[in-house]
Amino acid sequence: MAKSQLKSDAIMEQMKQHLSTDAGKDLAKKIGLVYQINVAPKKIGFDEVVYVVDLKKGEVTKGPYEGGKPDATFSFTDEDFVKVALGKMNPQIAFMRGAMKIKGSLSAAQKFTPDIFPKPSKM
């Protein structure tokens, strides 16, 4: 299986750098939750790349969460994840349209907003 380069990789890379800044550390303190994000190239559930955005430790890792259960798990296609992360699609609308699937705590999921992502520099 060829590893396709997901656009989400670039966002996660920015997120990783963002969390090492003071603003990122404040964000982690404020939210204190662990999100697992499954991103599929084309169709949710197939060939997913898994990321963990750990806002307890303030880090982003690739691969399933190993510290128990994440507070919330999201599944997206690459395209829809990028839209939500960049604030081009409202997470509630994404969920209602089926563009985003959620498992776990809904109250934790509601804190997962485009605001947690760094504002993109030109990509």
Side-chain angles (χ1 to χ4, degrees):
M1 183 180 94
K3 275 272 178 239
S4 60
Q5 194 58 36
L6 297 174
K7 294 186 189 99
S8 307
D9 282 335
I11 291 173
M12 289 302 183
E13 203 43 56
Q14 286 186 326
M15 185 75 183
K16 209 180 270 186
Q17 288 160 9
H18 178 59
L19 287 174
S20 65
T21 66
D22 289 343
K25 289 184 178 107
D26 288 347
L27 177 78
K29 258 191 221 110
K30 194 173 90 186
I31 296 183
L33 297 166
V34 177
Y35 296 113
Q36 181 170 306
I37 301 169
N38 304 334
V39 180
K42 296 273 178 256
K43 191 167 186 264
I44 290 179
F46 294 90
D47 301 329
E48 289 177 329
V49 175
V50 178
Y51 301 95
V52 173
V53 177
D54 186 332
L55 296 177
K56 283 182 177 152
K57 292 183 186 160
E59 60 186 27
V60 175
T61 53
K62 224 172 187 175
Y65 183 55
E66 292 176 358
K69 276 171 74 172
D71 293 293
T73 299
F74 298 91
S75 299
F76 296 93
T77 62
D78 188 39
E79 196 177 313
D80 289 332
F81 173 72
V82 170
K83 285 179 190 163
V84 170
L86 299 181
K88 293 189 168 109
M89 190 191 319
N90 176 304
Q92 276 91 6
I93 290 170
F95 179 68
M96 288 187 287
R97 285 189 187 152
M100 171 172 92
K101 293 194 169 40
I102 302 172
K103 279 190 198 128
S105 157
L106 281 179
S107 63
Q110 286 167 338
K111 295 187 174 108
F112 181 80
T113 65
D115 305 343
I116 71 171
F117 293 94
K119 291 298 154 259
S121 44
K122 294 279 171 266
M123 287 176 112

